[in-house]
Amino acid sequence: MTADAFLLYGTRAVEAEPIRLSAGALTADFVNGNLRTIRLGGTELLRAIAYIVRDRDWGTYEPALTDLVIDQNADTFSVGYSANCTGPDGSRLRFRATIEGSAEGRLTFDVSALPESDFETNRCGFCILHPIAGLAGGPVSVEHTDGSIVATKLPELIDPWQPFKDIRAITHEVRPGVTAECRMEGDTFEMEDQRNWSDASYKTYVRPLALPWPYVLPAGQLLRQTISLRIADDGKAPVAAVASETIRVELGEAGPRLPDVGVVIYPEDVETALPNLALLTTLGPRQLLFHYDPTRGHGLDALRAFARLAIAYPAETTLECVVACTGDLETEMSGVADLVHQAGLSLSAIAVSPSVDRQSTPPGSAWPECPPLEAVYAAARRAFPDVRLGGGMFSYFTELNRKRVPADQLDFITHCTCPIVHAADDLNIMQSLEALPFVTQSARAIFRTKPYRIGPATIAMRQNPYGGATKPNPGGQRIAMADSDPRHAGLFAAAWTIGYAARVAPAGLEMLTLSSFTGPFGVLASSGEPVAEGSPRPIFRAIKGLCEMAGLAHVAARTSDETKVLALAGRSASGETIAWLANLTADDVPVDISAFGRGHLVMTPYAIVRIG
């Protein structure tokens, strides 16, 4: 990569280059003590095998490796290292890891952990990620801890709960004639469908969620776990095809209209937005999504601020209203309606969700006290009889999938996504785009043709359903569950934004919100970024392009390698086709755009290109 890392990622810090381990056709990338992108030839077997230690808020420790030794030859590789985690109370967990691979199709990852003192954790052990591309809905064999073996399938639509429990081994077909068995020893494992959180994987993890957490690892008690991958080849399997270096773009048929593009506005954003109306007009969102949360002190002043902006920038307006649900619902909702009227705020729609529903209810946990959603929606309808009513979750699809709202009382359903719930490396964020079609397909399977909105969907996390709070990130690091992310200020976010819109376009969304106007999720820069404070971030151009395409007929656009380049195309009533391409990688990528009557172009790292 020759491009300036600051321009790409909004930070000069770069990720450690993975170390490629290879033994014959078996390869894996060694990254920070774990394995990524485990392949046989060109075919991905597993997305990751990682030894994970999490804190009580599901934050992930990042232990430094010591005594690292890597040996490789043509037919084998081996890795050994030591590491330790130190808890906030000073407690300490040490572990020793060994990894071995051979050209015969064998891979083992073994870890022995020893707490020096009682060590509190929500999870300590292996996570294994199976990819979704080519596997979703496909056959697998699951061996359970009691020795029974069941032939079944991975879920096609996203499973709200664990598809498989009490797992000892999972076997799947890699390609015709080749199978891969992943065996897990040392504890009881179960699988969750990580597409719920827009992760592009099925995750098999240690320790069932129905057991209490956080839990304590007793001092001096050794904890050993081993993951073994065994590849079987009948000798008749065809060699995997090697992808062409040049990416081809192909256009298909026209489909649903492309959605309105919104920006979310928080009360504290208004005073910055008003002096920048010229830039807001240039951006051109058709919708303003006003976030209103009485449980965090929002009241009449916040609504008056929204009204000032709505008057200054006429657009469709939606109030994203958190409902406290601590008293009489009629009183609460009519009180909000009275304040909206006093503020002079004209609304096109209101979306409501109980405050407690922003927190996740994991498997085995008790649902929090909450009035029936039917009663919440009925009270909101009576308080706002003349505007469209939406509901769903102000958190993620996970929560909507597990608590399915009575959509017959609603004019639209809505949810958010966030790609850094489980991991925050560059590859994981871009791979999360693969999961989005499954998210929208699953939502459509539940709610059918009900008008459907997504957002805000941003790289950084605006609130944490899985812990006490989001993680502060003053140093601009790549950390999971962070309340800000440096990549939002770089070219990376622009590419991810176009890629996101491309992946959800076939769903026929009514509205898509991928940014705020100002602040850590906004399109305008803060100090210390690649562009001057107050000027447009690279994501501005991406959002502006999506705003300009709103209402066009979506044209199916595919590329020959959608892990590298994604395409979004729309067609106007006059027949003009407009497209955006996004390079999802840190490399230059040659692209054949003859489908648009052009020749070739070379897309630089994380570039977005408009055609037409």
Side-chain angles (χ1 to χ4, degrees), residues 54 74 116 138 147 179 207 252-253 267 333 431-432 436 488 492 510 513 557-558 606:
R54 297 197 188 275
E116 293 183 352
T179 59
R207 188 174 168 91
E253 297 299 318
M333 292 310 307
Q431 285 180 335
S432 72
L436 295 175
H488 187 85
F492 185 97
E510 176 179 275
T513 301
R558 295 179 176 85
Y606 302 118

Side-chain angles (χ1 to χ4, degrees), residues 72-381:
Q72 294 204 69
N73 59 46
D75 296 322
T76 63
F77 60 77
S78 66
V79 179
Y81 66 88
S82 300
N84 67 78
C85 302
T86 302
D89 59 354
S91 59
R92 191 176 175 92
L93 175 75
R94 294 187 295 109
F95 59 91
R96 178 68 187 172
T98 59
I99 300 169
E100 296 180 344
S102 73
E104 285 75 32
R106 301 287 190 274
L107 175 67
T108 60
F109 194 156
D110 180 90
V111 174
S112 293
L114 185 67
E116 293 183 352
S117 56
D118 287 356
F119 188 87
E120 184 184 64
T121 181
N122 274 4
R123 175 170 297 152
C124 180
F126 280 109
C127 291
I128 301 95
L129 305 185
H130 282 76
I132 59 176
L135 268 69
V140 292
S141 174
V142 177
E143 179 181 335
H144 294 287
T145 53
D146 63 3
S148 62
I149 299 175
V150 178
T152 182
K153 291 183 177 181
L154 290 165
E156 174 73 26
L157 298 176
I158 300 174
D159 198 316
W161 309 109
Q162 300 98 325
F164 311 129
K165 296 181 178 181
D166 299 322
I167 302 171
R168 183 61 64 223
I170 300 174
T171 303
H172 74 276
E173 186 178 67
V174 177
R175 55 180 186 263
V178 181
T179 59
E181 178 198 77
C182 183
R183 183 164 294 275
M184 296 148 274
E185 304 284 354
D187 208 324
T188 299
F189 290 75
E190 64 187 19
M191 177 185 282
E192 67 185 11
D193 194 336
Q194 279 209 129
R195 297 174 299 171
N196 274 296
W197 297 271
S198 73
D199 292 80
S201 58
Y202 301 99
K203 180 172 75 178
T204 305
Y205 55 91
V206 77
R207 188 174 168 91
L209 284 175
L211 296 176
W213 46 266
Y215 59 100
V216 173
L217 301 175
Q221 183 171 313
L222 187 70
L223 175 68
R224 182 180 180 184
Q225 297 172 18
T226 305
I227 305 300
S228 303
L229 180 66
R230 182 173 64 88
I231 302 164
D233 187 340
D234 64 6
K236 301 176 183 178
V239 177
V242 177
S244 170
E245 182 180 356
T246 300
I247 307 299
R248 300 183 313 278
V249 182
E250 298 176 353
L251 296 178
E253 297 299 318
R257 69 180 290 277
L258 291 170
D260 285 355
V261 175
V263 294
V264 61
I265 304 291
Y266 299 92
E268 61 270 23
D269 296 339
V270 174
E271 293 308 316
T272 305
L274 286 170
N276 286 284
L277 284 174
L279 282 173
L280 182 60
T281 301
T282 300
L283 186 69
R286 294 191 178 187
Q287 300 262 4
L288 298 179
L289 177 63
F290 295 129
H291 182 74
Y292 181 73
D293 184 357
T295 71
R296 297 185 181 178
H298 298 172
L300 182 59
D301 287 346
L303 295 169
R304 282 174 171 162
F306 294 152
R308 290 197 302 273
L309 184 58
I311 292 169
Y313 181 80
E316 296 290 304
T317 55
T318 297
L319 190 69
E320 185 185 51
C321 181
V322 175
V323 184
C325 295
T326 55
D328 180 73
L329 287 173
E330 298 292 335
T331 301
E332 181 176 0
M333 292 310 307
S334 63
V336 174
D338 288 344
L339 291 177
V340 167
H341 179 73
Q342 290 180 51
L345 175 60
S346 177
L347 293 176
S348 309
I350 182 171
V352 298
S353 183
S355 181
V356 296
D357 282 348
R358 291 180 294 179
Q359 292 302 117
S360 179
T361 302
S365 302
W367 290 91
E369 290 188 13
C370 182
L373 289 176
E374 290 83 354
V376 175
Y377 297 155
R381 181 73 77 182

Side-chain angles (χ1 to χ4, degrees), residues 264-266 268-273 276 458 460 483-486 488-489 514-527 529 533-535 537 539:
V264 61
I265 304 291
Y266 299 92
E268 61 270 23
D269 296 339
V270 174
E271 293 308 316
T272 305
N276 286 284
T458 56
D483 59 5
S484 63
D485 192 287
H488 187 85
L514 294 171
S515 76
S516 61
F517 185 60
T518 64
F521 312 113
V523 297
L524 301 184
S526 300
S527 61
E529 295 186 6
E533 183 175 3
S535 62
R537 290 167 168 158
I539 194 176

Side-chain angles (χ1 to χ4, degrees), residues 1 21 55 59 76 79 87 92 99 123 128 138 148 214 267 354 396 407 470 475 477-478 485 536 589 600 605:
M1 182 184 70
L21 306 174
D55 63 23
T76 63
V79 179
R92 191 176 175 92
I99 300 169
R123 175 170 297 152
I128 301 95
S148 62
Y396 308 128
T470 54
Q477 305 296 310
R478 293 170 170 88
D485 192 287
V589 177
H600 290 71

